[in-house]
Amino acid sequence: MLDKRITENYLAILHEELVPAMVCTEPISLAFAAAIARRALGALPEKTLVAVSGNIIKNVKSVIVPHTGGLRGIPAAVAAGLVAGKAEKLLEVLSDVTQAEIAAIGAYLAQAEITVVQSESDRLFEIFLQVQKGTRCATVTIEDGHTSVTKVTLDGKILYACQHTEGKKVGANRGLLTVENIVLFAEQVEPQQVQDVLERQIQYNTAIAKEGLTGKYGAGIGKILMCTNGRSVYNRAKAWAAAGSDARMNGCELPVVINSGSGNQGMTASLPVIVYAEELHVPREELYRALVVSNLVTVHLKSGIGCLSAYCGAISAGCGAGAGIAYLYGGRFSEIAHTIVNALAINSGVVCDGAKASCAAKIASAVDAGLIGMYMNQHDRQFCGGDGLVKKGIENTIQNISALARDGMRETDREILRIMMSC
């Protein structure tokens, strides 16, 4: 039996990570910050200064901000939050925007003075907003997490302050995650302890996948996969995850349940497992346990990398999906560990060049790697220690990939941003 402390910690991680959000979480985080800034100022500002880390610029540049009439970019996200955001709704800050407010957002953006600069700090995730009206001035700072507000001021007076250590996630301890304990937790957890959070994930993410498969969004990767590769469970698992991203990156206003701060990762970790569970006709309880594996493996892999990186987060979630599907087939620690190692050996190194339509194709590739990793293990094939970044022991391999993504790809991240800003 797992220690009670670990069990409670893993439950807390699921409840902290699997939360609803609209569209790409970086523009929504900007809108959230803007809504807080307006609330602090008590009025719609005349001038706004936005200072953000490079990864925020990268992830907001090309994605449509919801409830804005198709607007893109940092000024649009900030304007939406200032005009119509409801800060108390966190990552659903723009969920209740009216048609009149959509028009008001466009009108405000056309005349407002919104200046965007790159932050001078080394933080991977930082948002600083300074808003002014007349002689009054308010500021909001968010660091290392999409809703992690660390400071709010009004006219130089601190309204709210929170000590925060870079890279340290507030809340449950992700450092206690191991693949072996994740599998034990999935086997032992009472279904009612995870039912609400997982049913919401199933409902929300399935709905947006169906929307992506029926509507016209982005490059239509999910629809292309279904048209060209048929209805096998293998293909549907990739297509559904890709279709969710097709919709989410390209203006669909349905919410998703995220993982590790990302809707794309939340969909990648969940939808392939849901598709396989339906194909295998497993009981609902077994689907819950497989989703626990997938979600926690994804969090575990992402925790060592950081919330934003040059390393595509969908790769971690694709590994999680492969692990969850392996669980559905009866796999436990050994089979799941080999699945993860195999998948990491296949696709690690895919770069993140911002949130946009092509994320859907990367998701399909990530799910494919997870599935190949699982089927390799089913046929008694595996990549072994010494094969590239693979090291004997699942946790050792995860540490190697974390070091690659977190440390080794820092200059890659800077170069990606330089290239994107010149386009």
Side-chain angles (χ1 to χ4, degrees):
M1 291 288 292
L2 276 179
D3 182 271
K4 182 180 178 182
R5 178 178 64 103
I6 292 178
T7 297
E8 291 177 349
N9 190 73
Y10 284 16
L11 283 171
I13 291 172
L14 288 171
H15 283 86
E16 289 171 9
E17 295 284 2
L18 305 187
V19 296
M22 292 186 67
V23 99
C24 180
T25 44
E26 278 71 55
I28 291 299
S29 185
L30 279 164
F32 172 63
I36 295 173
R38 178 178 178 175
R39 185 170 64 188
L41 187 65
L44 195 61
E46 298 163 337
K47 296 181 181 180
T48 301
L49 171 67
V50 188
V52 292
S53 54
N55 275 283
I56 303 295
I57 295 173
K58 185 173 73 174
N59 276 3
V60 183
K61 179 175 181 285
S62 302
V63 73
I64 293 174
V65 181
H67 294 301
T68 62
L71 299 175
R72 301 172 188 261
I74 290 173
V78 171
L82 290 171
V83 172
K86 295 178 176 61
E88 67 276 9
K89 297 182 76 69
L90 301 177
L91 293 180
E92 293 182 286
V93 60
L94 299 180
S95 60
D96 294 336
V97 178
T98 65
Q99 286 298 316
E101 287 173 327
I102 291 174
I105 292 167
Y108 178 75
L109 188 59
Q111 58 84 31
E113 185 178 330
I114 300 177
T115 302
V116 180
V117 298
Q118 185 172 347
S119 170
E120 295 181 357
S121 82
D122 292 329
R123 287 186 182 273
L124 294 174
F125 192 112
E126 182 175 52
I127 294 172
F128 172 81
L129 259 67
Q130 178 180 284
V131 295
Q132 293 178 261
K133 184 175 177 63
T135 60
R136 308 218 75 186
C137 175
T139 68
V140 174
T141 304
I142 292 179
E143 296 172 324
D144 300 329
H146 294 82
T147 58
S148 180
V149 180
T150 54
K151 194 173 184 180
V152 181
T153 72
L154 176 63
D155 296 333
K157 180 182 178 181
I158 296 175
L159 302 181
Y160 172 82
C162 173
Q163 285 190 337
H164 195 67
T165 303
E166 183 173 4
K168 299 297 183 181
K169 187 95 173 183
V170 176
N173 184 1
R174 276 77 175 159
L176 294 178
L177 289 167
T178 67
V179 174
E180 184 171 15
N181 281 346
I182 287 169
V183 176
L184 287 173
F185 172 74
E187 291 184 282
Q188 296 173 16
V189 68
E190 294 294 332
Q192 62 268 25
Q193 293 179 293
V194 295
Q195 179 176 353
D196 288 348
V197 70
L198 293 179
E199 280 294 340
R200 183 173 61 186
Q201 185 179 51
I202 294 166
Q203 177 187 340
Y204 283 21
N205 294 1
T206 298
I208 200 168
K210 290 180 177 178
E211 177 68 17
L213 288 169
T214 56
K216 290 185 177 181
Y217 294 99
I221 301 300
K223 294 170 78 171
I224 290 170
L225 286 171
M226 292 299 295
C227 289
T228 58
N229 293 341
R231 294 192 54 81
S232 71
V233 65
Y234 187 100
N235 189 54
R236 281 186 284 122
K238 295 188 292 182
W240 277 57
S245 182
D246 284 325
R248 182 172 176 271
M249 293 288 96
N250 295 281
C252 179
E253 293 166 353
L254 291 174
V256 301
V257 168
I258 67 176
N259 183 305
S260 301
S262 164
N264 278 341
Q265 290 167 50
M267 291 184 293
T268 305
S270 60
L271 286 164
V273 180
I274 294 165
V275 169
Y276 265 84
E278 183 180 73
E279 176 76 12
L280 298 174
H281 303 290
V282 302
R284 201 66 164 183
E285 176 182 311
E286 196 71 2
L287 171 57
Y288 293 160
R289 298 187 189 282
L291 284 172
V292 165
V293 170
S294 179
N295 281 299
L296 289 179
V297 165
T298 300
V299 174
H300 183 28
L301 294 176
K302 276 292 292 178
S303 293
I305 295 171
C307 59
L308 296 173
S309 168
Y311 182 96
C312 176
I315 303 306
S316 300
C319 293
I325 295 165
Y327 189 95
L328 291 174
Y329 276 107
R332 293 302 181 258
F333 170 63
S334 177
E335 295 82 5
I336 288 169
H338 286 310
T339 294
I340 296 167
V341 168
N342 291 340
L344 288 173
I346 294 167
N347 246 18
S348 290
V350 175
V351 299
C352 172
D353 53 344
K356 65 214 167 306
S358 66
C359 290
K362 293 183 181 183
I363 283 172
S365 177
V367 174
D368 191 66
L371 292 171
I372 291 173
M374 180 196 68
Y375 286 124
M376 282 178 61
N377 179 72
Q378 288 185 353
H379 288 81
D380 297 320
R381 297 290 186 271
Q382 66 187 64
F383 299 116
C384 301
D387 291 345
L389 295 170
V390 175
K391 189 173 182 179
K392 185 176 181 180
I394 176 64
E395 301 303 330
N396 292 325
T397 298
I398 290 173
Q399 288 176 14
N400 282 356
I401 301 301
S402 296
L404 166 73
R406 183 187 62 246
D407 303 324
M409 297 180 75
R410 283 181 179 171
E411 183 55 37
T412 301
D413 206 24
R414 288 189 282 268
E415 185 61 26
I416 288 170
L417 182 61
R418 283 194 288 268
I419 292 170
M420 288 180 65
M421 295 304 291
S422 68
C423 294

